[in-house]
Amino acid sequence: MAFRRRTKSYPLFSQEFVIHNHADIGFCLVLCVLIGLMFEVTAKTAFLFILPQYNVSVPTADNETVHYHYGPKDLVTILFYIFVTIILHAVVQEYILDKISKRLHLSKVKHSKFNESGQLVVFHLSSVIWCFYVVVTEGYLTNPRSLWEDYPHVYLPFQVKFFYLCQLAYWLHALPELYFQKVRKEEIPRQLQYICLYLVHIAGAYLLNLSRLGLILLLLQYSTEFLFHMARLFYFADENNEKLFSAWAAVFGVTRLFILTLAVLAIGFGLARMENQAFDPEKGNFNTLLCSCGTGGNTGMSRAPSAECQLPPDYQSGLSRGNLVTMKMEW
């Protein structure tokens, strides 16, 4: 299975060989794990890579349901899905983005940004649909009090835990992709910044048992990011097409307001008024004043790269450029 047509061969396991064949190497590793499912001796180990671990039976009013908690074995599952994500990244790049960019005849700088936004559009759209399905089926939208009631939320439904594992796998895969895609040196610090911020926030929500709140915040954040990167793609196709940037600027302010309001409501009022104000890692309880202040402050104050630095230099809209500078990618 080859993802790219190559006219030149490289020495085995050389730097260029790994860069041009990293998706094929990842596919071989994934295939080895899947083949392991066929044999009884290796099936148990293969399931360790593919399925979430640490399942427990939780009694309910009618019967028992299977839930999950986190543990060190999650790292093995995340590693497997990192390779899966690398394969999907290569498929999107080869069969969608490369074909579109050839027709647009972009410069090297725009080509790099086009690939970045193209990959993120696909990821954010799929994540928004998936996240929306999870929060609706789990009832988090219809019952906002469930975001902090019965904290700590140690036991997660299968789809919630699997969503978090895949999210962590995607943003971890983005780190080696900076090398595989030969991202320009001046672009690396900006991309590293938002990749690390996503990893910190997603891992924090997962490990601090704030998974329900994290799902809602991700839904809002990814919706805004999807619109922004769609606007960039339309701009690369036609530099006169800037209407989506104005729409994004309006949606951006609304979602920031919702994110900050929801964070204050859930952490500052919901968790702060609960009786279990204690630090107990064994029970998964991190509901202390220090943790609450750190989590709430990090949600409100941390910021990814400014959208202004990614906007086209000649962009003008109803909002002044000075106002856009103040609009950061906060989460």
Side-chain angles (χ1 to χ4, degrees):
M1 181 177 179
F3 288 100
R4 296 184 183 275
R5 298 173 183 174
R6 304 173 186 85
T7 57
K8 183 179 179 181
S9 60
Y10 301 96
L12 191 63
F13 298 120
S14 65
Q15 181 179 4
E16 290 298 325
F17 176 86
V18 174
I19 290 176
H20 286 80
N21 296 276
H22 69 276
D24 297 321
I25 296 172
F27 178 78
C28 292
L29 294 174
V30 170
L31 189 61
C32 289
V33 174
L34 296 178
I35 292 175
L37 295 174
M38 302 171 60
F39 304 98
E40 185 177 355
V41 178
T42 57
K44 186 176 181 180
T45 303
F47 278 120
L48 182 65
F49 285 88
I50 298 173
L51 295 177
Q53 304 299 307
Y54 304 105
N55 56 311
V56 293
S57 297
V58 179
T60 60
D62 300 328
N63 50 19
E64 291 185 346
T65 59
V66 178
H67 283 64
Y68 298 80
H69 60 91
Y70 63 78
K73 292 181 182 179
D74 290 343
L75 297 175
V76 179
T77 309
I78 292 173
L79 179 63
F80 175 78
Y81 285 100
I82 287 176
F83 288 110
V84 173
T85 309
I86 288 175
I87 297 170
L88 296 176
H89 185 116
V91 171
V92 172
Q93 186 68 45
E94 175 71 13
Y95 295 105
I96 300 177
L97 298 180
D98 285 350
K99 292 183 178 181
I100 297 175
S101 60
K102 286 179 181 179
R103 295 182 179 181
L104 297 177
H105 304 289
L106 302 173
S107 63
K108 289 185 178 180
V109 175
K110 286 187 176 181
H111 185 266
S112 175
K113 293 182 178 181
F114 177 85
N115 288 337
E116 177 193 2
S117 288
Q119 292 286 350
L120 289 174
V121 160
V122 174
F123 168 71
H124 288 314
L125 177 60
S126 58
S127 294
V128 165
I129 296 173
W130 188 3
C131 190
F132 182 75
Y133 174 80
V134 172
V135 298
V136 169
T137 55
E138 295 296 331
Y140 301 151
L141 282 181
T142 56
N143 183 20
R145 294 177 63 88
S146 64
L147 299 181
W148 60 83
E149 284 184 342
D150 300 324
Y151 180 84
H153 308 131
V154 178
Y155 300 113
L156 308 176
F158 172 85
Q159 59 180 353
V160 174
K161 175 164 183 173
F162 190 58
F163 177 83
Y164 271 96
L165 295 181
C166 291
Q167 291 294 313
L168 291 171
Y170 179 87
W171 291 111
L172 285 172
H173 114 280
L175 296 174
E177 284 294 345
L178 296 176
Y179 169 73
F180 294 142
Q181 298 297 325
K182 296 183 178 179
V183 175
R184 296 185 307 122
K185 291 183 179 180
E186 52 269 30
E187 287 288 318
I188 290 179
R190 177 182 62 81
Q191 294 193 33
L192 271 178
Q193 187 180 357
Y194 72 72
I195 290 170
C196 292
L197 279 173
Y198 273 116
L199 284 173
V200 168
H201 285 87
I202 295 173
Y206 183 62
L207 297 176
L208 296 178
N209 296 312
L210 293 169
S211 56
R212 300 178 182 180
L213 177 62
L215 284 172
I216 304 297
L217 297 184
L218 278 177
L219 179 62
L220 295 170
Q221 173 70 12
Y222 283 167
S223 300
T224 308
E225 290 287 285
F226 168 74
L227 185 59
F228 172 71
H229 288 286
M230 276 296 296
R232 284 222 302 180
L233 291 180
F234 277 100
Y235 174 80
F236 291 137
D238 181 6
E239 293 188 356
N240 295 320
N241 194 340
E242 298 178 351
K243 293 181 180 180
L244 274 180
F245 283 115
S246 300
W248 163 79
V251 173
F252 179 87
V254 174
T255 54
R256 291 316 81 165
L257 180 62
F258 270 106
I259 286 175
L260 292 175
T261 303
L262 188 60
V264 172
L265 178 64
I267 299 174
F269 291 94
L271 292 178
R273 295 183 178 183
M274 295 188 65
E275 296 180 357
N276 57 343
Q277 301 285 329
F279 181 78
D280 190 353
E282 292 186 359
K283 295 183 178 180
N285 187 3
F286 302 94
N287 189 17
T288 63
L289 179 60
L290 181 62
C291 291
S292 297
C293 291
T295 305
N298 195 31
T299 302
M301 298 299 295
S302 64
R303 51 188 66 194
S306 169
E308 172 72 1
C309 69
Q310 303 180 56
L311 289 171
D314 57 344
Y315 170 65
Q316 298 293 336
S317 73
L319 292 174
S320 66
R321 291 177 63 86
N323 288 338
L324 279 173
V325 170
T326 63
M327 297 177 67
K328 305 292 184 180
M329 289 296 187
E330 298 174 357
W331 178 47

